[in-house]
Amino acid sequence: MKVKVVKRVLDANNEIARKNREIFQKAGLIALNLISSPGSGKTTLLEETIPALKPQKSLVIVGDLQTARDAERVQECALDVVQINTGMSCHLYANQITESLSDLPLKEADYLFIENVGNMVCPGEFDLGENLKVILLSIPEGDDKVAKYPTIFRAADLVLLTKSDLLSVLKFDMVRVKEDIARLNANVSILEISCQTGEGMADWLKWLKDCHQKDIGAKAKFFTE
Amino acid sequence: MHEMSIAESLIEQIISVAKENSIVCVDEVEIETGYLKQIIPDVMQEAFKAVIKGTIAENAVLKITEISALAKCNLCKEEFTPELDNFLCPKCIKADVVTLKGDDIILKAVIGKEEKP
Ligand SMILES: Nc1nc2c(ncn2[C@@H]2O[C@H](COP(=O)(O)OP(=O)(O)O)[C@@H](O)[C@H]2O)c(=O)[nH]1
Ligand SMILES: [Mg+2]
Ligand SMILES: [Zn+2]
């Protein structure tokens, strides 16, 4: 027997992601999926960002193949943290997020930062239900990476060019990177940022607060009126 | 490199389609891979072999058809074929587009033997 079907192979994950998105909306928080190669500065960024966002409160879900080190690093400043060890899997699945949500005080929080497993390919395929995808590319990784991993940059809402303090010591063609991104997606925002010097931090915080205001602030107002 | 992640989701879907249709042994599976997903057929075949082990699709053959990409400009509605690293509309020279085709991996058919009544 031949059964003809038309099913997106990733439908099961996408359906769970859709439900996660509803949960975020009901709880009144925005969820951000942070995607990058290992070592481009995701955890460091969270350590700097979460205290600076206060009094707004942040939750963190961290995906790593092994260890709870990143969770320990952000534990102090975050409202709550869940570490997911993915073992052999190089990305997070939407259902892993769903499972973590039951352990988190969603209603008290304004932001949920999901630090995905360090990988520029697979996390792009698996929607977690996030409201926004933030892709980090650190200066030492080189200015050819947008062209090499175009798919993930095409899906981005924001690209953070991290470790911008290293622009003075490394060869990095910023114009080329911005052109490569513009060829993929005219609607993506791009910010240069350094956790070392604080450069760009204010713009990043503003971007977060604007997104929060647009997504949650507007709705909260709508419901109280 | 994402073929393995995709194969893992694919096998789950194959098994659920088979179950819904009382197929007890899957002989063949057809999928369409969009150009923009950059599935390398040989790598996909290897990943498929790994995930079917010990399932009702253990001996299934995987047929892969690649679908070319098509994008549509949000500004001028022009339809054009994008490149992996270039989604600029040829008219507007701006990448404000939706992809109409070639950005999916789709299970098209599951062929197998049914349970004997
Ligand atoms: N120079 C410099 N180093 C940074 C910056 N941000 C992070 N790092 C360093 O990069 C390394 C990896 O950072 P980490 O946050 O663990 O990256 P993750 O794997 O993406 O979470 C650490 O040694 C950080 O100290 C930055 O803005 N400038
Ligand atoms: Mg980290
Ligand atoms: Zn156009």
Side-chain angles (χ1 to χ4, degrees):
Chain A
M1 172 165 73
K2 176 165 180 169
V3 183
K4 288 200 178 183
V5 286
V6 178
K7 285 198 174 175
R8 289 195 174 85
V9 167
L10 301 176
D11 260 1
N13 182 76
N14 290 343
E15 178 56 22
I16 299 167
R18 195 184 59 71
K19 287 186 184 147
N20 287 347
R21 198 167 281 123
E22 280 176 15
I23 296 173
F24 301 147
Q25 194 183 0
K26 278 202 190 116
L29 57 78
I30 62 167
L32 298 106
N33 188 354
L34 305 186
I35 300 174
S36 79
S37 316
S40 58
K42 297 180 293 299
T43 313
T44 309
L45 180 70
L46 291 179
E47 288 173 300
E48 295 295 321
T49 304
I50 293 170
L53 281 171
K54 284 178 183 171
Q56 288 185 308
K57 293 176 188 150
S58 305
L59 299 169
V60 180
I61 296 177
V62 202
D64 268 308
L65 301 185
Q66 293 296 338
T67 82
R69 287 198 190 148
D70 282 2
E72 287 157 15
R73 283 169 60 186
V74 293
Q75 191 116 46
E76 227 165 279
C77 56
L79 181 61
D80 210 344
V81 185
V82 172
Q83 173 86 46
I84 299 172
N85 281 140
T86 57
M88 294 299 286
S89 175
C90 57
H91 60 90
L92 288 168
Y93 287 94
N95 66 352
Q96 293 174 307
I97 302 301
T98 314
E99 285 163 23
S100 310
L101 293 181
S102 54
D103 295 330
L104 292 171
L106 299 179
K107 289 222 168 86
E108 288 171 50
D110 301 292
Y111 300 93
L112 169 64
F113 293 101
I114 303 170
E115 178 178 337
N116 217 313
V117 183
N119 176 343
M120 294 278 259
V121 183
C122 300
E125 303 291 346
F126 291 83
D127 185 4
L128 303 179
E130 71 273 4
N131 304 92
L132 298 159
K133 270 192 178 68
V134 179
I135 315 301
L136 287 76
L137 172 64
S138 66
I139 302 307
E141 287 169 70
D143 54 22
D144 58 348
K145 294 303 176 295
V146 176
K148 282 190 178 168
Y149 300 94
T151 306
I152 196 72
F153 287 95
R154 184 157 57 89
D157 294 289
L158 172 70
V159 175
L160 287 177
L161 299 166
T162 60
K163 311 192 189 180
S164 65
D165 53 286
L166 297 174
L167 279 168
S168 57
V169 286
L170 296 171
K171 244 175 85 182
F172 188 92
D173 188 342
M174 190 58 83
V175 175
R176 174 188 178 180
V177 165
K178 290 186 176 171
E179 280 174 1
D180 284 351
I181 295 170
R183 252 196 297 282
L184 294 166
N185 185 349
N187 299 318
V188 59
S189 310
I190 305 172
L191 294 175
E192 296 169 35
I193 189 167
S194 167
C195 288
Q196 195 108 315
T197 64
E199 188 208 352
M201 196 50 110
D203 293 330
W204 155 242
L205 293 172
K206 181 176 184 316
W207 184 87
L208 283 171
K209 288 179 178 175
D210 286 350
C211 290
H212 187 274
Q213 178 61 27
K214 219 167 52 197
D215 215 58
I216 308 298
K219 269 179 223 120
K221 192 162 162 279
F222 177 80
F223 285 122
T224 52
E225 261 170 11
Chain B
M1 72 172 293
H2 58 163
E3 283 83 354
M4 195 63 205
S5 303
I6 287 161
E8 283 166 1
S9 301
L10 175 62
I11 187 65
E12 283 179 27
Q13 228 171 25
I14 292 167
I15 291 171
S16 91
V17 169
K19 278 194 180 140
E20 281 163 25
N21 294 281
S22 311
I23 289 175
V24 288
C25 174
V26 180
D27 299 319
E28 196 179 309
V29 173
E30 296 174 12
I31 62 169
E32 282 181 0
T33 61
Y35 167 74
L36 297 171
K37 289 295 186 202
Q38 286 294 289
I39 296 296
I40 301 165
D42 287 350
V43 179
M44 189 68 209
Q45 291 291 357
E46 285 308 311
F48 186 70
K49 272 184 211 153
V51 297
I52 56 179
K53 281 206 185 95
T55 73
I56 56 168
E58 172 122 44
N59 298 309
V61 175
L62 178 66
K63 288 207 173 155
I64 304 172
T65 309
E66 193 181 278
I67 303 295
S68 55
L70 188 66
K72 183 176 174 182
C73 177
N74 286 326
L75 306 170
C76 74
K77 311 296 172 200
E78 172 89 355
E79 292 186 8
F80 63 97
T81 306
E83 292 298 323
L84 257 195
D85 59 356
N86 188 353
F87 280 71
L88 292 176
C89 165
K91 282 191 176 164
C92 308
I93 323 292
K94 221 176 160 205
D96 186 352
V97 304
V98 283
T99 50
L100 302 176
K101 264 173 40 182
D103 209 7
D104 268 318
I105 300 156
I106 294 173
L107 175 61
K108 296 290 285 189
V110 176
I111 301 163
K113 296 175 199 70
E114 284 157 272
E115 215 165 359
K116 299 228 170 62

